[in-house]
Structure formats: structure tokens, C-alpha cells
Amino acid sequence: MVTPRRVVVSGCGAISAAGNDVEAFWSALLAGRCLLQPLAHFTAPEMDVLTGGEVALDEEDALPADVDTDPERARCEQLALAAASRALRHAGLLGQTATLANAGVILGSTMGLERQIGDLSQRWSAEGSAAIDGSFGLRVDEHRLPALIAARCGLGGPVWHNATACSSGNAATAWAFDTIVRGDADVMLAGGADTFTRSLFNGFGRMGALAKSVCKPFDKSRDGVSFGEGAGILVLEELEHARSRGGHALAEIVGYGISNDAYHVTAPDPNGTGYARAMSQALSTSHVEAARVGYICAHGTGTPYNDLGEVRAIRTVFGDLAPRIPISSIKSIIGHTNGAASALASIACVLSLRSQRIPPTANLTEPDPEFGLDFVMGQARAAALDLCLNLSAGFGGFNACLLLGRMP
Amino acid sequence: MASSTTIAVTGMGVIAPLGDSPVALAEALAQARSSIADLPEPSPASASRLTDFDFTRYANIRGMRVYNRASRLGICATRLAMTDAGLESIPGEDLGLVFASHHAHLDTLIEYDRNLVTLGPSRTNPSLMPLAIASAPGAVTALSFGLKAFSITLANGDAGGLDALGLCMHLLEQGRARAAMVVSASSLCSEIVLSAVRAGLLAEARNVRVFDRDSRGAALGEAAVALVLERMDHACQRGAQAKAILRGHASRFAPRPDLIPAGLARAIRRALDAANSTPADLALVSSAGSGVPEMDRAEALSLIDVLGEEKTPVTAVKAAVGEAGACSGLLQTLAAISSLSAKTAWPIPGLRNPAVPGLTYVTQATPLRGNHALVTAATRTGSCSALVLSSAND
């Protein structure tokens, strides 16, 4: 009988308002301090000063001229490249050309490449069709995002762009997990990247979905989402491959569940029916008892409907266990980073499993009395963690839940 | 030999200028017809356009009037494929969708952002914003038919169609749905046409000559294809007839254009391994040849490398219907299925003098021997993909 291939996380790259390395990221999450501030480097037409989680990149992350000459329009690409190089360095794989030649990358994003469109819209008024150049088609090609990483890091395996809105990071990780399980690669990079765009703030603003001040996931007074920019990339690796090269198995990807609400273009199913199916599938396909889940890293955007549907789904799946499982959301610390959000949340789960601590939900002071769940708030909590469930849901209704396990 | 997890194609829907059914498209391809014509502007450019597409002829679902052309095309092709497969008895919770997109949302995004910049925020239509993201065409397709097992969008450029088939195969093998649609739709976006002209990728219709030494570039194509995939055991249970079997898929990356021949060869070999097949098993190659000289040359070199002495017929549907982005892989797959069914390789219109000799290019309808076909894709961003399929009676 063939032993199933196990997949571990052997490196992480986290770029967010909390800093550009894993240690800074984890330190900020454990502190539970809200890093959402007035944006210094991004504005949108006729909107007040915007609030969000802004990234300050390091000198080493300067955008190579052969990627783009304009760092403003290529911000998403810059964030993705920064996270990828850090993830490979963390895994001890940077420059390991033989290994990387067979490795691949699956990346997700939601609106980040819209910055390239924005550049066009501004020039269109003055230049008309002359604003279009021969490279425009390539620059707005979503596949270019993972392809840039692959080209710069020397990857020769599958290179995909997953677009499932705010569940993109988890979905990308799920497909990368499958790629390794079926033996199509031993090493895969997976995650997501996104940045601020005009349409993002304008669209959510017009829909009344932006938080008036900062987001307060699961709070009684929650009133909307706060955005962040960032990138999260995990190095996934077949367990024996990681061991044989002396790599670190930081945590295990145990399995995943997926579903689609098919309810509304933007609104989640308020009963969380589809979301619950994804959670249940993650448990059943991984042959895991619900009681082993010690932490739920929630999508927790802070919008009234998202949080309601998510809580209902958790209660449906976990039943009597639900009130005893610690839950938190990292979005009130670094903002909702859209396509990167669930990848950064996966890194939070990896670090939770490593340190046996759960980060608190910033800005949550009075949980919605309807919810009745164990929200971690105020300060980080020590816990005996065996498994973490990382939840994500996106525009269009696609849900993706990732199950991560502790490595001894 | 089909195992319980063998993945079958049980339904097909197509909307293309050469026909809106697999049979009509196959008839046109057999006659070496092409729908490629010059565009009045910009120049030089040509395209295969759907000049009389009326979505209400195929589907009239709530919300469609707001959706962009690619989304409407995708929904209509999905309706055709679902009807062909007879999926009415399967609940939405057991049906999934993988949408392969290459710029399918882009016209909506450009319009939204341009209005925001030029007219101001208050003049934008907030209902367009959720339709301006890459996952929107797939999401509204899944919403239109209540597909609840999954709704995934892959944006892998022109290789996306084949990769969507590969991803969907694996999800069905794991039992994450009973059946799923793989859908792609391509419409002409004026900014992309202009950029392609300025990049020197397009040519007048007379100079679009796939694999020919006189080719100057490609034509763009409008089309939509939906294929219903299903585990063979599930298809048998409900009495559905398989039209083809998907045997193996792989994708690899070439970090530089000069490495595409090697990258595509690696993808093909991996797909053959996954299908437990060898080059000798292949009756047909349904290639990605588009008329862009350097890309056609790269693919030809790759096929020579893999096929060696085999005289496998090589055909190229893009010579008839243009480069339809992510939809191309599905059009190539559809053409391969109809070829295997008719035991005939469809000719490549306009090919007279191959730029790279050493392959058996199909220049007239040719009888096929064997049941397996290879479908290939390669993109300018370096993605290389391959799919091996067989006829249903293999």
C-alpha cells in the first residue's frame, strides 16, 4: 500500500502593515494592536482620507526595472515578489536552483492588478488610444503575477493564477497541496497578494460596506470592513523532501474544503449554508474529528452580514463544540488584504501551532450577543493546539477552508 | 480501461462564429473553413467575431443584461452543455464550475475605472464594481445555474482552458462534486486588440498562416465553450453517455521565451505519464498554433522533441477560429473530441509551407488511427500545458 504524501509548510513570507518579516508579523498579531491608520501613500477620487493597513517595503524590495518602471502601478507585483523571496529564504531554498527548477507557484489576487488599469485611465483623458502600448496586454494579464515570481526564482513547475476573490489565498494553497499530494511537484509556493485600488474603496464605499472608523470583527457595533495591502506566501513541501534536505516542517497542511454559495454576486448566504459545507468537507476529507480543532482563524471582515453568516456556519458544523473553540480574526490588526488575506491567515495559523498561542481580535470589545462563541480578544491566549481551521469567503460566494496541523 | 475515478466528458456546448454546436463546428473544420476576417481598425489586425450573438436565444437569466459579453457568452455555452449532458436531476450542491479567464472581466473594469476617473465617483454604477474583478464572469455563471459544489476561476492566460480541465479532473477524482462545468469565454476588448497590434502580434487575415513560414501573426477570436466533466461511475449510474475520457494533464513553466520548447516538452511528457500513455499512442495533436511565428516555432520544436519519429497528425483549430485566449484550450479539446469521434483529423486552413519541417501537419482531412489525442497550450508569460484524452470507447 502506498503511503499518502504528506505536505508541510517549510517557509513563510508575510508582507503586511505589521512589517515585512514573519517575526514582526507574529509579534504584531500577538500584541493585538490595530495597525489601521490614515493612508499616507494612497488616495481615491473625492474620498476623505482613507484608512487601512499600509505596507512600508524595505530597500531590498525595490522594483526591478525589467518588471516595471512604475512602482505605483506595479505595487501588487512588488508585494508578491517581496513575499516570495522572503518565503524561500525562510525555507532555506533561496538560490537552490535544482530544487526550484521543479517547483511551482500558485498565487491569488483580487484587484491588485487594477493599478495597471488605473494608469491607463489617467492617461486616457489626455492621450486617448495612444495611451495603449504594446505591453499593456501583458501588464494586465493576471498570470503575469505568478509568472514574475517563477521567472525570478527559477521555478519550472506549475505556475497558476487563482482568482476566487477573497478566498484566493486558501484556494491557491489547496491546489498547491493537491499538486504535491499527487506527486506533480515536491515544492510549491502558494498564497496571494493585493493592494489598494480606487475601485476597491469607491465600490465598497458606494455599497456602504466600509467601516466608519476601523473594522471590529464580531463586535456588536461592527459596521464594515477596513482594507490592508500585503502578500502572504507559504512554501509547501512534501514531508520527506523537507526532512531529507534539513528543512523545517513548521506545520502540516492536513486538508481543505470548498463550496460555493450561489446566492448573490456580493452578499454571502446569511445562514452560512455553503460556508458550512466547506468547513464540513475540510474535516471529512481529512478524516478529522471536529473536537480536534483548537482554533478557528475566521474570515471575520467586520461587515454585519459576513460575520453573521460565518458564525452561523461555525455553529452548524461544530454544534455543541462551537462555544468552546477559540476564534479570532487578524483583519482588525492588518486590514482585509483581499487575495492575500487567507494566505496571511494561514501563516498566522502556522505560527499559532508553533507557539501554541492564539492572537486576539483587535477592536473587539463587546461581542455581538447573538453569536455566543469564544472570541479571543484583549490579549493573546495560550492553548494546546493540534489543528487550526482557516476560513475564507469571497465575492461571488466561493468559500475555501484550510485545515492546518501541528508538527512535533 | 476506465476506473471508478476516470473522468469523462458528458456534455459539450460551444458558441463560435463557425457554429453553435459541436457538430456544426466539426463540419466547418472538416471543410477547412475559417471565420477570420480583417478588422477595419486598428491595422494590421484580424479576428474571428461573433457578429450576431444574441444571448436571449440561448439563455435569459436574471441579471444577464448587466453582465459583460464574455459572461453572457459563458452562461450561454454552459446552458448548452448542461442541456447536452442532461444534468437536471443532479442537485446544485453536487455541481461545480471552473472558469478559465483571460481578460474576461477586463472591459468592465476599464469602464468602471475610467468612469471613476473622468466622471467622478458619484457617476459610477456601484453594481458594476463586483463584476469588475477577475472572478466575476465565473461567479455569475455559477450563480445563474445554482452551482454550489465550487466556483473557481483560473487566470492562466491562454493555457487556462487546459489547466481548468486539469484542476477540475482532480477535484472530481477526489469526489468534491458529482459533475462540473469547465467554461471559458472570450470577447474582443478594444484595449487588448490595440495593445496586441502595437506588440506586433496580429496580422491581416491573409497573413495569419499557422505553422507557415509566411505567417505574420495571429487573429483574435470570440467564442465560448463549456464542457461537462463527470466521474465515469457517476455518469454510468445516471445513464449518461461519455463523449471522451480525460486521461492526464500537466503544466510546466518556461522562465524565458527561448525555453518554451523545453518547457512544453516537459509538460507533454508529464501529461503522457499521468495518462499512462506514450507518444506512440497518440493519434492526433490538437496544437496551440496561432500564427505568431515565434510561438508556433517553439511549439513545433517541442512536438518534434516529444514525438520523435512518430508521424502523428498535427492540427491547429486557431487557424479557423483565431486566438480565443483561455477559451482556445477548450476549443482545441472540443475539436480533438470531434476528430476522434469522426476518426478524421481536421485540416489547418492556409498552411502551405511549414516554417519548421519534421511534423505531420494536417493540410487536408485525414483519417485517424488510434484513440488518443494530445492538446497543447503555451503562453507568452511562460505557462506550458498539455492534456491527453481519448475517445469514450477506448
Side-chain angles (χ1 to χ4, degrees), chain A residues 163-228:
Chain A
T164 51
C166 301
S167 53
S168 288
N170 265 357
T173 307
W175 318 150
F177 166 79
D178 280 344
T179 302
I180 294 175
V181 167
R182 67 172 177 268
D184 205 18
D186 290 323
V187 177
M188 290 290 294
L189 278 68
D194 251 316
T195 187
F196 306 123
T197 70
R198 286 192 292 261
S199 300
L200 180 72
F201 281 104
N202 175 260
F204 276 78
R206 296 287 306 275
M207 286 188 282
L210 285 180
K212 289 185 177 62
S213 58
V214 289
C215 74
K216 303 170 187 173
F218 306 114
D219 197 276
K220 185 182 174 186
S221 64
R222 70 191 185 281
D223 60 4
V225 66
S226 297
F227 289 110

Side-chain angles (χ1 to χ4, degrees), chain A residues 129 142-143 161 198 202 206, chain B residues 105 112-113 121 156 198 381:
Chain A
S129 66
E142 291 93 353
H143 186 255
H161 187 283
R198 286 192 292 261
N202 175 260
R206 296 287 306 275
Chain B
H105 70 298
Y112 188 89
D113 195 69
N156 292 358
R198 289 177 179 162
T381 49

Side-chain angles (χ1 to χ4, degrees), chain B:
Chain B
M1 181 77 183
S3 73
S4 62
T5 56
T6 296
I7 304 301
V9 178
T10 59
M12 304 192 291
V14 61
I15 298 171
L18 289 177
D20 61 0
S21 72
V23 170
L25 180 62
E27 285 175 0
L29 295 175
Q31 295 163 18
R33 285 167 49 203
S34 166
S35 48
I36 295 170
D38 287 344
L39 290 174
E41 59 176 343
S43 179
S46 56
S48 165
R49 303 187 70 179
L50 284 158
T51 52
D52 58 353
F53 171 62
D54 173 7
F55 71 89
T56 61
R57 282 176 54 204
Y58 305 96
N60 201 353
I61 295 170
R62 189 171 167 229
M64 278 185 81
R65 290 185 187 282
V66 181
Y67 304 156
N68 71 355
R69 184 171 169 89
S71 301
R72 291 176 186 173
L73 280 165
I75 290 169
C76 292
T78 303
R79 164 60 58 78
L80 292 172
M82 290 182 73
T83 303
D84 187 39
L87 292 177
E88 296 81 4
S89 62
I90 301 181
E93 284 77 5
D94 292 329
L95 294 173
L97 176 133
V98 183
F99 195 98
S101 172
H102 188 200
H103 303 321
H105 70 298
L106 196 64
D107 51 358
T108 307
L109 177 55
I110 288 173
E111 178 190 346
Y112 188 89
D113 195 69
R114 195 168 292 164
N115 286 342
L116 186 54
V117 170
T118 59
L119 303 177
S122 60
R123 299 284 295 278
T124 57
N125 178 355
S127 68
L128 280 186
M129 182 264 171
L131 303 176
I133 61 177
S135 55
V140 299
T141 304
L143 179 64
S144 296
F145 299 101
L147 310 178
K148 296 184 176 179
F150 48 81
S151 169
I152 299 156
T153 295
L154 281 188
N156 292 358
D158 300 344
L162 296 191
D163 294 339
L165 287 168
L167 174 60
C168 194
M169 280 174 66
H170 298 309
L171 294 174
L172 290 171
E173 285 166 358
Q174 295 170 25
R176 295 189 190 268
R178 285 193 62 186
M181 269 51 70
V182 176
V183 183
S184 188
S186 168
S187 66
L188 295 192
C189 170
S190 57
E191 286 80 1
I192 292 298
V193 176
L194 204 53
S195 179
V197 168
R198 289 177 179 162
L201 296 172
L202 303 186
E204 296 103 334
R206 69 177 184 280
N207 290 326
V208 177
R209 295 183 176 278
V210 177
F211 291 123
D212 196 285
R213 68 186 182 199
D214 294 325
S215 191
R216 303 272 175 81
L220 294 174
E222 284 192 312
V225 176
L227 301 178
V228 177
L229 307 193
E230 198 167 355
R231 268 172 55 161
M232 194 62 145
D233 51 349
H234 291 158
C236 290
Q237 280 168 15
R238 69 181 187 90
Q241 190 165 3
K243 300 169 191 298
I245 307 293
L246 301 188
R247 299 288 179 184
H249 162 269
S251 70
R252 293 293 182 263
F253 183 76
R256 295 197 316 264
D258 61 302
L259 296 178
I260 287 177
L264 185 55
R266 285 190 295 123
I268 294 170
R269 290 196 172 97
R270 178 69 193 178
L272 286 167
D273 281 348
N276 290 317
S277 299
T278 68
D281 296 323
L282 297 174
L284 175 73
V285 177
S286 184
S287 79
S290 67
V292 175
E294 60 271 25
M295 293 301 289
D296 286 5
R297 178 179 171 78
E299 181 166 24
L301 293 174
S302 165
L303 291 173
I304 289 169
D305 179 12
V306 174
L307 296 175
E309 298 297 312
E310 300 294 337
K311 302 296 181 192
T312 314
V314 176
T315 189
V317 70
K318 291 178 195 173
V321 298
E323 173 60 83
C327 192
S328 290
L330 301 188
L331 281 164
Q332 293 165 238
T333 302
L334 196 73
I337 292 170
S338 64
S339 268
L340 290 175
S341 174
K343 297 190 180 304
T344 305
W346 313 132
I348 304 172
L351 173 58
R352 287 194 295 253
N353 302 300
V356 180
L359 290 173
T360 309
Y361 301 102
V362 183
T363 54
Q364 57 184 358
T366 305
L368 286 185
R369 292 179 186 159
N371 292 321
H372 285 59
L374 169 70
V375 188
T376 54
T379 73
R380 289 200 301 147
T381 49
S383 202
C384 304
S385 299
L387 176 79
V388 176
L389 58 88
S390 72
S391 56
N393 56 8
D394 180 56

